[in-house]
Amino acid sequence: SEGVESGDKVVFISSPFARAKETAEACLDGLAESKCQTRIEKMGVDISKEIVLENRIMERYFGRLDAEAIYTYAYVWPLDKFNVTHTAFEVESVAAVCTRLREVVTNLEEEYEGCHLVLVSHADVLQIAQLYGANVENVGIFSSYRFKNGEVRPMKRTPDSLPAPSDLEAPERGTGM
């Protein structure tokens, strides 16, 4: 409810990938529950029931590691901290993710002027977006700002708006994809 005023509209923008789309649907289902509906009505906020699918917020491409177990992503994250343009293992660079995020946010701000946008995407993309939007000097440190599943954070324009960083913990071997 931060920064939301009576008459404001909220729009959910989701990656078309199943996990993100299902998360957006779960959020809207939760907001439709009577306890939330009462609060939303009191606030005078219009929450769009339609989820806008946006291909440009799909998860980061992990190249040769894409079909591998998730713990292999930990090979890439330390490299990101030192070089946002690297493409080791043929991954999409952090810089390339920033470029597509800049394009999509610019387009969405024009199309949904005056609306509050809820981006529902994947860990790396959301973390990169938050640091890029907050004007952090080295966006490559995004992996120190992990989102919990289903966590909602406001996207602000200054580094002091970010949560405290945490140490990067590699996923354990043997964990699924």
Side-chain angles (χ1 to χ4, degrees):
S1 66
E2 186 174 321
V4 178
E5 298 177 9
S6 181
D8 284 358
K9 183 169 182 167
V10 177
V11 179
F12 280 75
I13 312 292
S14 176
S15 160
F17 286 178
R19 286 187 322 258
K21 188 176 171 198
E22 289 166 3
T23 298
E25 290 167 351
C27 288
L28 286 174
D29 289 346
L31 291 170
E33 292 178 5
S34 61
K35 180 174 75 173
C36 290
Q37 269 309 114
T38 302
R39 184 167 181 218
I40 291 166
E41 288 171 11
K42 281 183 185 175
M43 291 172 61
V45 176
D46 176 21
I47 298 178
S48 175
K49 309 275 186 279
E50 180 184 335
I51 298 168
V52 178
L53 299 180
E54 174 55 66
N55 290 334
R56 294 172 294 175
I57 61 171
M58 288 191 287
E59 65 187 342
R60 181 182 184 192
Y61 178 63
F62 269 85
R64 295 193 319 256
L65 303 177
D66 227 26
E68 299 297 324
I70 195 168
Y71 72 82
T72 62
Y73 292 9
Y75 303 158
V76 174
W77 295 325
L79 300 174
D80 293 334
K81 291 182 177 192
F82 299 102
N83 181 356
V84 296
T85 62
H86 88 84
T87 56
F89 306 100
E90 299 170 11
V91 300
E92 181 180 18
S93 72
V94 172
V97 175
C98 288
T99 297
R100 68 177 160 105
L101 287 170
R102 183 181 64 245
E103 291 171 358
V104 74
V105 169
T106 298
N107 292 130
L108 290 171
E109 284 180 336
E110 288 173 10
E111 187 171 347
Y112 297 97
E113 185 176 353
C115 294
H116 296 274
L117 304 178
V118 179
L119 298 181
V120 185
S121 186
H122 312 274
D124 281 16
V125 171
L126 291 172
Q127 290 155 188
I128 292 168
Q130 186 163 41
L131 269 67
Y132 183 65
N135 294 303
V136 170
E137 190 173 314
N138 177 7
V139 179
I141 63 171
F142 73 89
S143 59
S144 296
Y145 295 86
R146 307 303 299 173
F147 275 80
K148 294 177 181 81
N149 285 342
E151 180 181 357
V152 176
R153 290 185 196 162
M155 190 167 158
K156 297 185 178 180
R157 297 179 190 257
T158 60
D160 64 350
S161 68
L162 297 170
S166 58
D167 292 333
L168 175 62
E169 294 181 26
E172 293 181 32
R173 285 186 174 273
T175 56
M177 307 257 311

